[in-house]
Amino acid sequence: MTINIFKNIRNRLSTDPAARHSQHLLLVCQAALPVGIVFTALWLPIFAIVGNWHLVLLDGFLMLVITACWEAASRGNFSTGYLAAQFVCALFVVLFSLLFDVPSDAVPRVCHFYFLVIALAGYANYGRDRGRLQLAMIVLCIAGFVVFSSSPMTFAFATPLPDTVRGVTAWINVVSVVVLLGGGIVLLQREFTLDGNMVRELRAALDDEQFELFYQPQVDQAGAVVGAEALLRWKHPKRGYVSPDEFVPAAERAGLMPRLGSWVLKEAAQTLSGWRANAATSTLVLSINVSADQFRMADFVALVTGTLEAYGIEPAMLKLELTESIFVADIDDLVETMKALERAGIAIALDDFGTGYSSLSHLRQLPLQQLKIDRSFVRAVTESGRGASLARNIAKMGHDLSLEILAEGIETEEQFQFMLSCGCRKFQGYYFGRPVPLAALEERIAAPTQALVG
Ligand code: C2E
Ligand code: MG
Ligand code: MG
Protein backbone atom coordinates (compact mmCIF):
# COMPACT_ATOMS: atom_id res chain seq x y z
CA MET A 1 0.00 0.00 0.00
CA THR A 2 2.85 2.41 0.89
CA ILE A 3 4.51 1.55 -2.41
CA ASN A 4 1.25 2.29 -4.21
CA ILE A 5 0.92 5.68 -2.49
CA PHE A 6 4.47 6.54 -3.58
CA LYS A 7 3.81 5.24 -7.09
CA ASN A 8 0.70 7.40 -7.24
CA ILE A 9 2.63 10.41 -6.03
CA ARG A 10 5.23 9.87 -8.71
CA ASN A 11 2.79 9.20 -11.53
CA ARG A 12 0.54 12.09 -10.74
CA LEU A 13 3.24 14.71 -10.43
CA SER A 14 3.13 17.36 -13.12
CA THR A 15 6.29 18.49 -14.92
CA ASP A 16 5.78 22.11 -13.82
CA PRO A 17 7.82 22.45 -10.58
CA ALA A 18 5.30 24.66 -8.72
CA ALA A 19 2.32 22.51 -9.68
CA ARG A 20 4.35 19.41 -8.89
CA HIS A 21 5.19 20.66 -5.42
CA SER A 22 1.55 21.48 -4.76
CA GLN A 23 0.40 18.04 -5.99
CA HIS A 24 3.02 16.42 -3.83
CA LEU A 25 1.79 18.29 -0.73
CA LEU A 26 -1.79 17.34 -1.53
CA LEU A 27 -0.83 13.66 -1.68
CA VAL A 28 1.02 13.96 1.64
CA CYS A 29 -2.12 15.48 3.20
CA GLN A 30 -4.28 12.78 1.62
CA ALA A 31 -2.03 10.18 3.23
CA ALA A 32 -2.28 11.94 6.63
CA LEU A 33 -6.03 11.34 7.00
CA PRO A 34 -5.99 7.51 6.76
CA VAL A 35 -2.93 7.50 9.04
CA GLY A 36 -5.07 9.40 11.59
CA ILE A 37 -7.89 6.88 11.27
CA VAL A 38 -5.59 3.86 11.68
CA PHE A 39 -3.90 5.53 14.61
CA THR A 40 -7.11 6.25 16.52
CA ALA A 41 -8.33 2.71 15.72
CA LEU A 42 -5.17 1.23 17.28
CA TRP A 43 -5.90 2.99 20.59
CA LEU A 44 -9.42 1.54 20.86
CA PRO A 45 -8.37 -1.93 22.14
CA ILE A 46 -5.83 -0.37 24.52
CA PHE A 47 -8.53 1.82 26.14
CA ALA A 48 -10.85 -1.21 26.23
CA ILE A 49 -8.19 -3.35 27.96
CA VAL A 50 -7.71 -0.74 30.70
CA GLY A 51 -11.52 -0.67 30.98
CA ASN A 52 -11.98 3.06 30.38
CA TRP A 53 -15.21 3.03 28.37
CA HIS A 54 -15.46 6.83 28.28
CA LEU A 55 -12.20 6.88 26.42
CA VAL A 56 -13.31 4.05 24.12
CA LEU A 57 -16.37 6.12 23.22
CA LEU A 58 -14.41 9.35 22.80
CA ASP A 59 -11.72 7.68 20.67
CA GLY A 60 -14.32 5.80 18.59
CA PHE A 61 -16.14 9.07 18.01
CA LEU A 62 -12.89 10.76 16.96
CA MET A 63 -12.20 7.92 14.51
CA LEU A 64 -15.66 8.28 12.95
CA VAL A 65 -15.32 12.06 12.65
CA ILE A 66 -11.89 11.81 10.95
CA THR A 67 -13.37 9.21 8.55
CA ALA A 68 -16.24 11.61 7.74
CA CYS A 69 -13.73 14.45 7.19
CA TRP A 70 -11.73 12.18 4.88
CA GLU A 71 -14.88 11.38 2.91
CA ALA A 72 -15.75 15.09 2.69
CA ALA A 73 -12.19 16.02 1.71
CA SER A 74 -12.09 13.49 -1.12
CA ARG A 75 -15.49 14.56 -2.47
CA GLY A 76 -15.36 18.33 -2.46
CA ASN A 77 -13.19 21.02 -0.99
CA PHE A 78 -10.13 19.23 0.31
CA SER A 79 -8.94 21.97 2.64
CA THR A 80 -12.28 22.23 4.50
CA GLY A 81 -12.43 18.50 5.27
CA TYR A 82 -8.77 18.46 6.18
CA LEU A 83 -9.13 21.49 8.48
CA ALA A 84 -12.15 19.95 10.20
CA ALA A 85 -10.10 16.80 10.87
CA GLN A 86 -7.28 18.88 12.40
CA PHE A 87 -9.81 20.76 14.53
CA VAL A 88 -11.41 17.63 16.03
CA CYS A 89 -7.99 16.08 16.63
CA ALA A 90 -6.81 19.25 18.43
CA LEU A 91 -10.02 19.28 20.48
CA PHE A 92 -9.45 15.65 21.41
CA VAL A 93 -5.89 16.47 22.51
CA VAL A 94 -7.18 19.31 24.72
CA LEU A 95 -9.88 17.11 26.30
CA PHE A 96 -7.58 14.14 26.79
CA SER A 97 -4.81 16.31 28.26
CA LEU A 98 -7.16 18.04 30.71
CA LEU A 99 -9.30 15.04 31.70
CA PHE A 100 -7.13 11.94 31.49
CA ASP A 101 -3.47 12.80 30.97
CA VAL A 102 -2.96 14.78 34.15
CA PRO A 103 0.71 15.08 35.15
CA SER A 104 1.86 13.51 38.42
CA ASP A 105 5.20 13.23 40.22
CA ALA A 106 5.76 9.84 38.60
CA VAL A 107 4.58 10.44 35.01
CA PRO A 108 4.64 13.69 32.99
CA ARG A 109 1.88 14.81 30.60
CA VAL A 110 2.70 13.81 27.00
CA CYS A 111 -0.58 13.91 25.05
CA HIS A 112 -0.05 17.57 24.11
CA PHE A 113 2.98 16.50 21.98
CA TYR A 114 0.37 15.54 19.37
CA PHE A 115 -0.21 19.28 18.82
CA LEU A 116 3.11 19.25 16.95
CA VAL A 117 1.92 16.42 14.67
CA ILE A 118 -1.30 18.31 13.88
CA ALA A 119 0.69 21.50 13.25
CA LEU A 120 2.98 19.63 10.82
CA ALA A 121 -0.03 18.14 9.01
CA GLY A 122 -1.47 21.66 8.79
CA TYR A 123 1.82 23.04 7.53
CA ALA A 124 1.77 20.53 4.62
CA ASN A 125 -1.67 21.81 3.64
CA TYR A 126 -0.68 25.46 4.11
CA GLY A 127 2.12 24.93 1.57
CA ARG A 128 -0.44 24.25 -1.16
CA ASP A 129 -3.41 26.33 0.00
CA ARG A 130 -2.42 29.42 2.00
CA GLY A 131 -5.71 29.93 3.83
CA ARG A 132 -5.97 32.06 6.99
CA LEU A 133 -7.92 29.38 8.83
CA GLN A 134 -5.17 26.87 8.17
CA LEU A 135 -2.57 29.32 9.42
CA ALA A 136 -4.70 30.01 12.53
CA MET A 137 -4.96 26.26 13.16
CA ILE A 138 -1.18 25.86 13.01
CA VAL A 139 -0.65 28.81 15.38
CA LEU A 140 -3.28 27.45 17.82
CA CYS A 141 -1.65 24.01 17.87
CA ILE A 142 1.78 25.49 18.55
CA ALA A 143 0.26 27.74 21.25
CA GLY A 144 -1.47 24.69 22.77
CA PHE A 145 1.84 22.83 22.86
CA VAL A 146 3.59 25.77 24.54
CA VAL A 147 0.84 26.26 27.17
CA PHE A 148 0.54 22.58 28.11
CA SER A 149 4.34 22.21 28.20
CA SER A 150 4.85 25.25 30.42
CA SER A 151 2.18 24.74 33.08
CA PRO A 152 0.65 21.73 34.84
CA MET A 153 -2.93 22.73 33.84
CA THR A 154 -4.56 20.52 36.46
CA PHE A 155 -8.24 21.01 37.34
CA ALA A 156 -10.60 19.50 39.91
CA PHE A 157 -12.96 18.06 37.27
CA ALA A 158 -10.18 15.80 35.85
CA THR A 159 -10.54 12.00 36.07
CA PRO A 160 -6.89 11.02 35.49
CA LEU A 161 -5.87 7.59 34.26
CA PRO A 162 -3.92 5.68 36.93
CA ASP A 163 -0.16 6.25 36.83
CA THR A 164 0.44 2.54 36.16
CA VAL A 165 -1.47 2.95 32.84
CA ARG A 166 -0.02 6.39 32.05
CA GLY A 167 3.47 5.05 32.72
CA VAL A 168 3.08 2.71 29.73
CA THR A 169 1.01 4.93 27.44
CA ALA A 170 3.43 7.85 27.93
CA TRP A 171 6.16 5.76 26.28
CA ILE A 172 3.79 4.67 23.49
CA ASN A 173 2.66 8.25 22.90
CA VAL A 174 6.12 9.78 22.80
CA VAL A 175 7.44 7.09 20.45
CA SER A 176 4.34 7.55 18.24
CA VAL A 177 4.80 11.32 18.10
CA VAL A 178 8.47 10.93 17.15
CA VAL A 179 7.54 8.41 14.41
CA LEU A 180 4.70 10.60 13.08
CA LEU A 181 6.82 13.77 13.09
CA GLY A 182 9.81 12.01 11.53
CA GLY A 183 7.63 10.20 8.98
CA GLY A 184 5.85 13.45 8.09
CA ILE A 185 9.12 15.29 7.51
CA VAL A 186 10.53 12.44 5.40
CA LEU A 187 7.30 12.33 3.35
CA LEU A 188 7.45 16.09 2.76
CA GLN A 189 10.94 15.68 1.34
CA ARG A 190 10.29 12.35 -0.33
CA GLU A 191 9.65 13.88 -3.76
CA PHE A 192 13.33 13.91 -4.60
CA THR A 193 14.11 10.38 -3.52
CA LEU A 194 11.03 9.02 -5.26
CA ASP A 195 12.32 10.38 -8.53
CA GLY A 196 15.81 9.45 -7.43
CA ASN A 197 15.05 5.73 -7.38
CA MET A 198 13.40 5.79 -10.76
CA VAL A 199 16.09 7.99 -12.26
CA ARG A 200 18.81 5.63 -11.05
CA GLU A 201 16.91 2.76 -12.65
CA LEU A 202 16.38 4.73 -15.87
CA ARG A 203 20.10 5.53 -16.13
CA ALA A 204 20.93 1.85 -15.64
CA ALA A 205 18.23 0.95 -18.19
CA LEU A 206 19.88 3.23 -20.77
CA ASP A 207 23.25 1.59 -20.14
CA ASP A 208 21.74 -1.92 -20.24
CA GLU A 209 19.64 -1.18 -23.35
CA GLN A 210 16.32 -2.04 -21.70
CA PHE A 211 14.32 0.21 -24.03
CA GLU A 212 12.36 -0.89 -27.07
CA LEU A 213 10.23 0.81 -29.66
CA PHE A 214 6.70 -0.38 -30.37
CA TYR A 215 4.95 0.71 -33.54
CA GLN A 216 1.33 1.73 -33.91
CA PRO A 217 -0.03 1.87 -37.47
CA GLN A 218 -1.38 5.09 -38.95
CA VAL A 219 -3.88 4.52 -41.73
CA ASP A 220 -5.58 6.45 -44.51
CA GLN A 221 -9.33 6.69 -45.10
CA ALA A 222 -9.38 3.24 -46.72
CA GLY A 223 -7.69 1.69 -43.69
CA ALA A 224 -4.40 1.11 -45.54
CA VAL A 225 -1.28 1.51 -43.43
CA VAL A 226 0.57 4.66 -44.54
CA GLY A 227 2.90 5.02 -41.62
CA ALA A 228 3.42 4.35 -37.94
CA GLU A 229 4.16 6.07 -34.67
CA ALA A 230 7.14 4.77 -32.71
CA LEU A 231 6.26 4.50 -29.01
CA LEU A 232 8.85 3.96 -26.36
CA ARG A 233 8.65 0.99 -24.00
CA TRP A 234 10.84 0.20 -21.01
CA LYS A 235 11.35 -3.51 -20.62
CA HIS A 236 11.94 -3.51 -16.88
CA PRO A 237 13.73 -6.66 -15.64
CA LYS A 238 11.17 -7.16 -12.82
CA ARG A 239 8.05 -5.22 -13.82
CA GLY A 240 7.88 -6.18 -17.50
CA TYR A 241 6.87 -3.50 -20.02
CA VAL A 242 6.49 -0.09 -18.38
CA SER A 243 4.37 2.53 -20.12
CA PRO A 244 6.03 5.82 -21.13
CA ASP A 245 3.33 7.72 -19.21
CA GLU A 246 4.96 6.29 -16.10
CA PHE A 247 8.63 6.98 -16.80
CA VAL A 248 8.85 9.81 -19.39
CA PRO A 249 7.84 12.53 -16.86
CA ALA A 250 10.56 11.36 -14.42
CA ALA A 251 13.09 11.15 -17.27
CA GLU A 252 12.12 14.69 -18.30
CA ARG A 253 12.57 16.03 -14.79
CA ALA A 254 15.97 14.36 -14.52
CA GLY A 255 17.07 15.76 -17.89
CA LEU A 256 17.40 12.28 -19.39
CA MET A 257 15.12 12.85 -22.37
CA PRO A 258 17.81 14.20 -24.73
CA ARG A 259 19.76 10.96 -24.24
CA LEU A 260 16.67 8.75 -24.43
CA GLY A 261 15.33 10.73 -27.39
CA SER A 262 18.63 10.34 -29.26
CA TRP A 263 18.34 6.59 -28.80
CA VAL A 264 14.76 6.70 -30.18
CA LEU A 265 15.94 8.73 -33.18
CA LYS A 266 18.73 6.28 -33.98
CA GLU A 267 16.44 3.29 -33.56
CA ALA A 268 13.80 4.92 -35.81
CA ALA A 269 16.46 5.64 -38.43
CA GLN A 270 17.47 1.99 -38.38
CA THR A 271 13.85 0.93 -38.86
CA LEU A 272 13.38 3.36 -41.75
CA SER A 273 16.58 2.08 -43.31
CA GLY A 274 15.14 -1.45 -43.16
CA TRP A 275 11.82 -0.26 -44.65
CA ARG A 276 13.59 1.52 -47.52
CA ALA A 277 14.83 -1.80 -48.84
CA ASN A 278 11.36 -3.35 -49.05
CA ALA A 279 8.73 -2.31 -51.62
CA ALA A 280 5.84 -2.87 -49.16
CA THR A 281 7.32 -0.53 -46.57
CA SER A 282 9.43 1.94 -48.58
CA THR A 283 6.71 4.63 -48.63
CA LEU A 284 5.79 4.43 -44.92
CA VAL A 285 6.35 7.55 -42.82
CA LEU A 286 7.57 7.00 -39.28
CA SER A 287 6.61 9.47 -36.53
CA ILE A 288 8.63 9.84 -33.36
CA ASN A 289 7.79 11.80 -30.22
CA VAL A 290 10.19 14.53 -29.23
CA SER A 291 10.17 15.99 -25.73
CA ALA A 292 10.54 19.72 -25.08
CA ASP A 293 14.08 19.68 -23.66
CA GLN A 294 15.27 17.40 -26.45
CA PHE A 295 13.85 19.81 -29.02
CA ARG A 296 15.58 22.73 -27.30
CA MET A 297 19.03 21.07 -27.52
CA ALA A 298 21.40 23.43 -29.35
CA ASP A 299 22.42 20.76 -31.87
CA PHE A 300 18.99 19.13 -32.31
CA VAL A 301 18.61 19.93 -36.02
CA ALA A 302 22.15 18.77 -36.76
CA LEU A 303 21.53 15.57 -34.77
CA VAL A 304 18.36 14.72 -36.74
CA THR A 305 19.73 15.57 -40.18
CA GLY A 306 23.06 13.88 -39.38
CA THR A 307 21.34 10.67 -38.24
CA LEU A 308 19.12 10.55 -41.34
CA GLU A 309 22.15 11.10 -43.55
CA ALA A 310 24.14 8.41 -41.77
CA TYR A 311 21.39 5.87 -42.52
CA GLY A 312 20.71 7.22 -46.03
CA ILE A 313 17.08 8.11 -45.30
CA GLU A 314 14.88 10.61 -47.14
CA PRO A 315 13.91 13.35 -44.61
CA ALA A 316 10.27 13.11 -45.75
CA MET A 317 10.08 9.59 -44.27
CA LEU A 318 10.49 10.91 -40.70
CA LYS A 319 7.94 12.99 -38.83
CA LEU A 320 8.55 14.62 -35.45
CA GLU A 321 5.67 14.85 -32.98
CA LEU A 322 5.73 17.75 -30.53
CA THR A 323 3.23 18.31 -27.76
CA GLU A 324 1.83 21.69 -26.84
CA SER A 325 3.84 21.71 -23.58
CA ILE A 326 6.71 22.99 -25.69
CA PHE A 327 5.00 26.40 -26.01
CA VAL A 328 5.79 27.41 -22.44
CA ALA A 329 9.31 28.20 -23.68
CA ASP A 330 10.50 31.10 -25.83
CA ILE A 331 8.46 30.76 -29.01
CA ASP A 332 10.95 32.61 -31.27
CA ASP A 333 13.72 30.06 -30.69
CA LEU A 334 11.19 27.32 -31.20
CA VAL A 335 10.04 28.68 -34.55
CA GLU A 336 13.69 29.02 -35.62
CA THR A 337 14.33 25.31 -34.96
CA MET A 338 11.07 24.28 -36.63
CA LYS A 339 11.90 26.31 -39.72
CA ALA A 340 15.37 24.76 -39.92
CA LEU A 341 13.75 21.30 -39.79
CA GLU A 342 11.24 22.32 -42.43
CA ARG A 343 14.07 23.51 -44.70
CA ALA A 344 15.70 20.11 -44.18
CA GLY A 345 12.45 18.49 -45.41
CA ILE A 346 11.35 17.05 -42.05
CA ALA A 347 7.65 17.34 -41.19
CA ILE A 348 6.36 18.28 -37.76
CA ALA A 349 3.09 17.17 -36.18
CA LEU A 350 1.41 18.78 -33.17
CA ASP A 351 0.51 15.90 -30.87
CA ASP A 352 -2.43 15.67 -28.43
CA PHE A 353 -3.84 18.84 -29.95
CA GLY A 354 -6.40 20.63 -27.82
CA THR A 355 -5.09 19.52 -24.44
CA GLY A 356 -2.35 22.10 -23.84
CA TYR A 357 -1.10 25.59 -24.23
CA SER A 358 -1.29 26.35 -27.95
CA SER A 359 -3.32 29.29 -29.10
CA LEU A 360 -4.55 30.21 -32.55
CA SER A 361 -1.70 32.68 -32.92
CA HIS A 362 0.81 29.91 -32.19
CA LEU A 363 -0.81 27.73 -34.81
CA ARG A 364 -0.58 30.45 -37.45
CA GLN A 365 3.03 31.14 -36.61
CA LEU A 366 4.37 27.59 -36.55
CA PRO A 367 5.59 25.67 -39.58
CA LEU A 368 3.49 22.57 -38.89
CA GLN A 369 2.33 19.92 -41.32
CA GLN A 370 -0.03 17.85 -39.19
CA LEU A 371 -2.42 18.28 -36.27
CA LYS A 372 -3.13 15.19 -34.23
CA ILE A 373 -6.53 15.63 -32.59
CA ASP A 374 -6.24 14.25 -29.07
CA ARG A 375 -8.10 11.07 -28.29
CA SER A 376 -10.15 12.75 -25.56
CA PHE A 377 -11.98 14.72 -28.29
CA VAL A 378 -12.39 11.61 -30.42
CA ARG A 379 -13.87 9.73 -27.47
CA ALA A 380 -16.32 12.56 -26.86
CA VAL A 381 -17.77 12.53 -30.40
CA THR A 382 -20.04 9.62 -29.64
CA GLU A 383 -20.78 10.73 -26.09
CA SER A 384 -22.46 14.09 -26.61
CA GLY A 385 -23.56 16.61 -29.24
CA ARG A 386 -21.12 19.13 -27.79
CA GLY A 387 -18.26 16.64 -28.06
CA ALA A 388 -19.13 16.03 -31.70
CA SER A 389 -19.29 19.70 -32.60
CA LEU A 390 -16.03 20.41 -30.76
CA ALA A 391 -14.19 17.71 -32.76
CA ARG A 392 -15.75 19.03 -35.98
CA ASN A 393 -14.63 22.58 -35.21
CA ILE A 394 -11.08 21.52 -34.31
CA ALA A 395 -10.83 19.64 -37.61
CA LYS A 396 -12.21 22.65 -39.49
CA MET A 397 -9.72 24.96 -37.82
CA GLY A 398 -6.88 22.66 -38.87
CA HIS A 399 -8.15 22.62 -42.44
CA ASP A 400 -8.43 26.41 -42.47
CA LEU A 401 -4.76 26.51 -41.51
CA SER A 402 -4.00 24.04 -44.35
CA LEU A 403 -2.82 21.35 -41.98
CA GLU A 404 -3.26 17.63 -42.38
CA ILE A 405 -5.53 16.28 -39.63
CA LEU A 406 -4.93 12.94 -37.95
CA ALA A 407 -7.51 11.66 -35.49
CA GLU A 408 -5.87 9.84 -32.56
CA GLY A 409 -7.40 7.15 -30.39
CA ILE A 410 -9.99 5.78 -32.82
CA GLU A 411 -11.51 2.79 -31.09
CA THR A 412 -14.79 2.23 -32.93
CA GLU A 413 -16.20 2.27 -36.45
CA GLU A 414 -18.57 5.03 -35.33
CA GLN A 415 -15.69 7.29 -34.24
CA PHE A 416 -13.86 6.52 -37.49
CA GLN A 417 -16.90 7.42 -39.62
CA PHE A 418 -17.52 10.60 -37.69
CA MET A 419 -13.91 11.84 -37.96
CA LEU A 420 -13.97 10.89 -41.65
CA SER A 421 -17.06 13.09 -42.08
CA CYS A 422 -15.08 15.92 -40.39
CA GLY A 423 -12.53 15.76 -43.19
CA CYS A 424 -9.81 13.78 -41.37
CA ARG A 425 -7.73 11.76 -43.77
CA LYS A 426 -5.32 10.01 -41.39
CA PHE A 427 -6.24 7.86 -38.41
CA GLN A 428 -4.60 6.07 -35.52
CA GLY A 429 -6.08 4.04 -32.71
CA TYR A 430 -6.78 0.59 -31.32
CA TYR A 431 -9.47 0.13 -33.98
CA PHE A 432 -6.72 -0.04 -36.60
CA GLY A 433 -4.07 -1.63 -34.45
CA ARG A 434 -2.42 -1.38 -31.07
CA PRO A 435 1.29 -0.55 -30.66
CA VAL A 436 3.23 -3.75 -31.44
CA PRO A 437 6.88 -4.78 -31.86
CA LEU A 438 8.41 -4.02 -35.26
CA ALA A 439 8.22 -7.63 -36.51
CA ALA A 440 4.46 -7.78 -35.81
CA LEU A 441 3.80 -4.54 -37.70
CA GLU A 442 5.88 -5.71 -40.65
CA GLU A 443 4.05 -9.03 -40.66
CA ARG A 444 0.72 -7.22 -40.82
CA ILE A 445 1.91 -5.02 -43.68
CA ALA A 446 3.19 -8.08 -45.56
CA ALA A 447 -0.28 -9.69 -45.17
CA PRO A 448 -2.66 -6.73 -45.73
CA THR A 449 -5.67 -9.03 -45.96
CA GLN A 450 -5.49 -9.47 -42.19
CA ALA A 451 -8.31 -7.94 -40.21
CA LEU A 452 -8.41 -4.17 -40.13
CA VAL A 453 -8.99 -4.20 -36.42
CA GLY A 454 -5.78 -4.91 -34.46
P1 C2E B 1 1.16 9.91 -27.74
O1 C2E B 1 2.35 10.34 -28.51
O2 C2E B 1 -0.08 10.73 -27.87
O3 C2E B 1 0.90 8.41 -28.16
C1 C2E B 1 -0.34 7.84 -28.26
C2 C2E B 1 -0.67 7.09 -27.01
O4 C2E B 1 -2.04 6.71 -27.06
C3 C2E B 1 0.11 5.77 -26.89
O5 C2E B 1 0.27 5.51 -25.52
C4 C2E B 1 -0.86 4.77 -27.50
O6 C2E B 1 -0.65 3.46 -27.05
C5 C2E B 1 -2.17 5.31 -27.00
N1 C2E B 1 -3.27 4.95 -27.90
C6 C2E B 1 -3.21 4.79 -29.22
N2 C2E B 1 -4.42 4.46 -29.71
C7 C2E B 1 -5.27 4.44 -28.67
C8 C2E B 1 -6.67 4.15 -28.53
O7 C2E B 1 -7.38 3.87 -29.48
N3 C2E B 1 -7.20 4.23 -27.29
C9 C2E B 1 -6.43 4.55 -26.21
N4 C2E B 1 -7.02 4.59 -25.01
N5 C2E B 1 -5.09 4.80 -26.29
C10 C2E B 1 -4.54 4.76 -27.51
P2 C2E B 1 1.69 5.16 -24.95
O8 C2E B 1 2.46 4.31 -25.89
O9 C2E B 1 1.48 4.67 -23.56
O10 C2E B 1 2.43 6.56 -24.93
C11 C2E B 1 1.99 7.56 -24.08
C12 C2E B 1 2.72 8.83 -24.36
O11 C2E B 1 4.11 8.74 -23.99
C13 C2E B 1 2.75 9.23 -25.82
O12 C2E B 1 1.52 9.81 -26.18
C14 C2E B 1 3.91 10.21 -25.84
O13 C2E B 1 3.49 11.48 -25.41
C15 C2E B 1 4.83 9.63 -24.80
N6 C2E B 1 5.91 8.90 -25.51
C16 C2E B 1 5.90 7.66 -26.04
N7 C2E B 1 7.06 7.39 -26.64
C17 C2E B 1 7.82 8.50 -26.50
C18 C2E B 1 9.15 8.87 -26.93
O14 C2E B 1 9.88 8.12 -27.61
N8 C2E B 1 9.59 10.13 -26.60
C19 C2E B 1 8.81 11.00 -25.89
N9 C2E B 1 9.32 12.21 -25.62
N10 C2E B 1 7.58 10.70 -25.47
C20 C2E B 1 7.09 9.46 -25.78
MG1 MG C 1 2.68 10.97 -30.22
MG1 MG D 1 -1.00 11.81 -28.93
Side-chain angles (χ1 to χ4, degrees), residues 67-350:
T67 309
C69 292
W70 186 27
E71 266 296 300
S74 35
R75 272 160 202 253
N77 186 337
F78 182 82
S79 285
T80 311
Y82 194 65
L83 256 169
Q86 291 167 60
F87 180 75
V88 288
C89 288
L91 200 63
F92 181 86
V93 172
V94 172
L95 288 178
F96 193 90
S97 299
L98 291 178
L99 293 175
F100 304 103
D101 192 20
V102 181
S104 65
D105 289 345
V107 189
R109 171 181 277 143
V110 293
C111 180
H112 62 289
F113 287 177
Y114 283 103
F115 276 129
L116 295 179
V117 178
I118 305 171
L120 183 70
Y123 173 71
N125 190 42
Y126 186 69
R128 48 168 288 278
D129 185 3
R130 291 182 187 269
R132 281 192 194 160
L133 277 176
Q134 181 59 83
L135 186 59
M137 194 69 222
I138 297 169
V139 172
L140 276 177
C141 285
I142 293 172
F145 174 73
V146 171
V147 170
F148 278 99
S149 302
S150 321
S151 77
M153 300 281 280
T154 47
F155 296 97
F157 56 76
T159 52
L161 290 170
D163 272 358
T164 43
V165 174
R166 289 183 59 249
V168 179
T169 54
W171 279 94
I172 300 179
N173 276 322
V174 174
V175 170
S176 304
V177 167
V178 170
V179 168
L180 289 172
L181 282 179
I185 291 167
V186 168
L187 213 57
L188 282 174
Q189 293 179 332
R190 184 80 200 185
E191 199 173 345
F192 306 104
T193 41
L194 272 176
D195 260 10
N197 293 341
M198 178 166 273
V199 169
R200 255 194 308 280
E201 279 198 304
L202 280 169
R203 287 215 170 91
L206 268 165
D207 293 338
D208 299 347
E209 299 182 358
Q210 289 171 9
F211 292 99
E212 287 179 20
L213 284 185
F214 271 34
Y215 295 81
Q216 184 174 33
Q218 295 180 335
V219 304
D220 64 12
Q221 59 204 90
V225 179
V226 289
E229 176 174 4
L231 292 159
L232 197 53
R233 294 290 179 268
W234 176 10
K235 196 170 180 190
H236 193 282
K238 288 192 192 127
R239 295 169 57 197
Y241 282 112
V242 182
S243 143
D245 279 336
E246 207 174 310
F247 67 82
V248 164
E252 278 174 345
R253 288 196 287 276
L256 286 178
M257 277 323 281
R259 202 174 147 203
L260 203 47
S262 301
W263 179 85
V264 171
L265 176 67
K266 202 164 150 235
E267 197 72 10
Q270 256 170 29
T271 299
L272 278 168
S273 146
W275 284 358
R276 200 182 43 157
N278 183 334
T281 50
S282 61
T283 57
L284 298 184
V285 174
L286 184 59
S287 300
I288 59 170
N289 294 282
V290 178
S291 68
D293 51 349
Q294 186 189 359
F295 195 75
R296 283 197 290 269
M297 281 161 54
D299 60 348
F300 181 70
V301 179
L303 178 77
V304 177
T305 51
T307 308
L308 292 181
E309 244 173 64
Y311 285 88
I313 292 156
E314 280 289 311
M317 297 292 108
L318 183 74
K319 190 174 281 159
L320 305 181
E321 294 192 5
L322 301 177
T323 58
E324 297 169 88
S325 60
I326 206 156
F327 299 127
V328 288
D330 183 356
I331 193 106
D332 293 338
D333 287 350
L334 203 69
V335 172
E336 231 12 78
T337 310
M338 290 172 91
K339 284 193 173 149
L341 288 163
E342 190 185 35
R343 282 195 296 276
I346 298 162
I348 297 178
L350 190 56

